[in-house]
Amino acid sequence: MAEILFLEDEVTIREVIVEYMNVAGHKVTECGNGDEAVERLKEKNFDLAVLDIRVPGISGLKVLEHIRTELKSDMGVIMLTAYEDINTQVEAFNFFADDYITKPASPIILLKRIEVLLRRISDDVKMKDSSLVIDDKAYRAYYEGKDLNLTVSEFLLIKTLHDSPNQVLSREQLILSIFNEDYIGNDRIIDAHIKNLRKKLPVNVIDTVIGIGYRWKED
């Protein structure tokens, strides 16, 4: 169940979508104009907002801007609107809207978009709660929110070890994870990378297994 703020001035559309949201188990706060939406945002915290753009009072885009700049909130936001022009969509994403759905929209599809966004938000929270975060897409690793400033090779090495906790990996296995089969040279290059990783990691989580390789100690 999620706390959802729903801004929509067309009563019939609002009633139908709210009914679908309620059946899905969400708790919905309805608003018919932008000013009311801002007031509700001041009163309580929401997990997600679904905002129509063209509404009485301030627009849904202004409500989105308020969420990101005044409240400094990273809550999920889906724009639901009849506007299909690229400029309006770009403006919405400039204020970090998470999704943009044009009307007429199927309530079922909207619920699926909400489900996906809530799952992503939940995963992000889990990542923030972890001391060590490995971002596969950005090739970055963080410890307690601080960027470890790893090279690509160091990142691939820490990811390989981290993904196989308590498993001893040989230098040859680690070389393959970094260079595939293209590397020709001394396998002791792994020792140099491990030395650099240990300097950058605030905790001792990499064990040396003499004569074999290295092991990631699971916390």
Side-chain angles (χ1 to χ4, degrees):
M1 185 189 79
E3 287 275 1
I4 298 177
L5 174 73
F6 183 33
L7 171 59
E8 170 60 66
D9 65 317
E10 296 184 42
V11 177
T12 302
I13 294 176
R14 189 169 72 236
E15 289 178 348
V16 170
I17 293 179
V18 167
E19 181 64 25
Y20 272 85
M21 289 180 179
N22 287 333
V23 170
H26 302 303
K27 187 174 181 180
V28 186
T29 297
E30 306 173 43
C31 299
N33 65 74
D35 299 292
E36 182 185 0
V38 170
E39 289 303 313
R40 299 293 84 77
L41 286 163
K42 292 177 181 177
E43 294 170 357
K44 64 186 297 186
N45 295 322
F46 293 92
D47 301 303
L48 185 145
V50 178
L51 307 176
D52 188 9
I53 291 180
R54 192 173 183 177
V55 293
I58 64 173
S59 72
L61 285 174
K62 288 295 183 182
V63 177
L64 171 61
E65 182 181 355
H66 175 79
I67 290 171
R68 298 302 190 224
T69 60
E70 299 298 323
L71 298 180
K72 300 188 184 303
S73 171
D74 57 359
M75 64 184 284
V77 179
I78 297 174
M79 307 308 292
L80 178 64
T81 176
Y83 285 110
E84 295 185 15
D85 66 285
I86 292 177
N87 289 336
T88 304
Q89 295 186 44
V90 169
E91 188 174 358
F93 288 121
N94 281 343
F95 282 111
F96 304 103
D98 295 283
D99 206 344
Y100 191 106
I101 304 175
T102 55
K103 295 179 182 179
S106 162
I108 295 175
I109 295 300
L110 175 59
L111 282 177
K112 287 298 181 183
R113 297 283 188 92
I114 289 172
E115 181 183 321
V116 169
L117 181 53
L118 289 172
R119 189 184 306 123
R120 190 165 76 232
I121 292 169
S122 176
D123 289 344
D124 288 345
V125 170
K126 289 176 183 176
M127 285 179 65
K128 289 177 182 177
D129 288 343
S130 174
S131 295
L132 178 67
V133 174
I134 295 178
D135 187 341
D136 293 348
K137 294 180 180 178
Y139 279 63
R140 289 178 178 272
Y142 304 86
Y143 189 84
E144 294 185 346
K146 184 178 179 181
D147 193 338
L148 296 179
N149 294 314
L150 304 181
T151 65
V152 173
S153 295
E154 289 168 355
F155 172 82
L156 293 173
L157 181 56
I158 196 175
K159 175 173 168 50
T160 301
L161 289 165
H162 180 266
D163 288 350
S164 302
N166 297 324
Q167 181 179 338
V168 180
L169 299 177
S170 68
R171 292 179 178 83
E172 290 78 10
Q173 287 175 300
L174 295 173
I175 283 175
L176 284 174
S177 72
I178 298 175
F179 304 107
N180 295 316
E181 298 178 355
D182 300 327
Y183 179 75
I184 300 175
N186 195 317
D187 63 5
R188 293 293 173 175
I189 190 173
I190 293 298
D191 298 348
H193 286 316
I194 291 291
K195 182 178 180 181
N196 290 334
L197 275 178
R198 284 172 169 160
K199 288 179 180 179
K200 294 180 179 181
L201 280 165
V203 288
N204 180 20
V205 289
I206 302 175
D207 274 344
T208 300
V209 181
I210 298 174
I212 302 177
Y214 296 94
R215 175 178 56 207
W216 185 273
K217 293 188 294 187
E218 189 171 36
D219 188 353

